[in-house]
Amino acid sequence: MSTAFNYVLYQVGWFSCVMGAAWSHPWVGTAMGSITLATHLTLAERRWEELRLACLIGAVGACVDGLQLAAGTLSFVSGGGLVHWLPPGWLLLLWMQFAGTLRFSLRWLTFQPRLAILFGATGGPLVYVAVSRLGVVRIQSPQWQSLLVLSALWAVAMWVATWLARDPGSVNPGRYRI
């Protein structure tokens, strides 16, 4: 039950943030995404550990997307950061929401570092291509080079994220109090 609820909660938050940015209302999406993150944290049995992980993964995301912005391989159309090299708030919130899946619906990935690296190297760029089609992000030309850099950064980010999410003392997945 917790795994399915976590997956749905993440999807609602993800679509809220992305579509808010796509429709030029990034703060509406950020507000909705904040509600889904708050719901996750409120219902999680180990909420302080989840909050800590969300902040750490948010920092990882700031580095990954900040490096892309600094390198000029990505630019965001809607809801740009307060500082030109920082990703927009809605994107940092997506990273924090993603952290909420690592002990729940993506727990299977947490103890498989090679698979996490492969997941990041392929999944990260695919997501950015998809949101670029919605007009949320621009992937700079030559696109293949930008995607290659993004793939490498996401591979490292997924390894770091799953390492941070490991809880060797527990074989049980995250649980909600519902």
Side-chain angles (χ1 to χ4, degrees), residues 137-156:
V137 64
R138 284 190 199 103
I139 302 170
Q140 301 305 319
S141 295
Q143 194 175 45
W144 71 270
Q145 285 179 333
S146 296
L147 291 174
L148 188 61
V149 171
L150 185 59
S151 179
L153 287 172
W154 260 83
V156 172

Side-chain angles (χ1 to χ4, degrees), residues 157-170:
M158 281 302 296
W159 179 81
V160 170
T162 55
W163 181 79
L164 290 170
R166 284 188 193 132
D167 183 8
S170 173

Side-chain angles (χ1 to χ4, degrees), residues 53-69 74 76 85-88 91-96 98-99 128 150 153-154 156-158 160-161 164:
L53 183 61
C55 291
L56 289 170
I57 301 301
V60 168
C63 290
V64 167
D65 291 319
L67 285 170
Q68 291 287 336
L69 288 168
L74 290 180
F76 295 93
W85 49 267
L86 278 178
L91 186 57
L92 295 176
L93 182 62
L94 282 178
W95 281 93
M96 294 177 77
F98 176 69
Y128 281 80
L150 185 59
L153 287 172
W154 260 83
V156 172
M158 281 302 296
V160 170
L164 290 170

